[in-house]
Amino acid sequence: MGECIFCKIVNKQIPSEIVYEDEHVCAFKDINPTAPVHILVVPKQHIESLNHLDNSHKELIGHIFVVAKELSDRFGVKEKGFRIVVNCGEDGGQTVNHLHFHLLGGRKFSWPAG
Ligand code: AMP
Ligand code: ZN
């Protein structure tokens, strides 16, 4: 995982705007935001993608959603609504191979997503 950019953020080897962290999870502002609120919630453990999950990760994934919900409140988008996105693999548009959950809010999103 030596070259993984999100592992480096988690380990504070490169700077980022971390907004939440605990034993298992780290959340930081996306460097190229696509919405007024754009936060990435990542497991501290290097997991490449949703394709790499197994039953041992169930609690971790539930925890990530609870953290994301709490951040939606802290960043003022809980009431109006928000979107959580996980891109997986090439067709899913995943560009960083460390599992991450986009928390997006502060504007309206269309559906179906393009
Ligand atoms: P994805 O396309 O789902 O893999 O999303 C990767 C996200 O990581 C993109 O929204 C990027 O803007 C974001 N990103 C890449 N490098 C950094 C970084 N150093 N700090 C914060 N966000 C980053
Ligand atoms: Zn990583």
Side-chain angles (χ1 to χ4, degrees):
M1 321 314 157
E3 290 311 305
C4 173
I5 193 162
F6 287 177
C7 281
K8 285 185 175 165
I9 288 175
V10 165
N11 294 324
K12 318 264 170 52
Q13 290 167 315
I14 60 169
S16 74
E17 210 176 321
I18 293 177
V19 296
Y20 175 85
E21 129 171 73
D22 62 29
E23 191 186 343
H24 300 293
V25 163
C26 182
F28 50 90
K29 292 197 178 171
D30 196 292
I31 204 167
N32 186 21
T34 60
V37 174
H38 189 167
I39 293 166
L40 301 174
V41 188
V42 313
K44 286 192 165 176
Q45 175 192 358
H46 181 87
I47 301 169
E48 270 194 49
S49 77
L50 284 184
N51 274 341
H52 296 76
L53 291 183
D54 59 42
N55 282 331
S56 73
H57 300 118
K58 280 179 176 172
E59 200 172 326
L60 172 67
I61 300 307
H63 179 56
I64 286 173
F65 272 101
V66 174
V67 167
K69 187 221 85 178
E70 285 171 1
L71 288 170
S72 78
D73 196 10
R74 174 138 73 88
F75 284 85
V77 298
K78 183 180 166 199
E79 298 309 326
K80 284 200 85 175
F82 55 89
R83 182 171 285 183
I84 290 174
V85 173
V86 184
N87 298 321
C88 181
E90 192 183 341
D91 277 3
Q94 183 174 6
T95 60
V96 177
N97 292 326
H98 180 131
L99 180 63
H100 50 282
F101 292 63
H102 296 258
L103 168 63
L104 299 154
R107 68 170 171 87
K108 273 203 188 297
F109 299 96
S110 57
W111 188 262

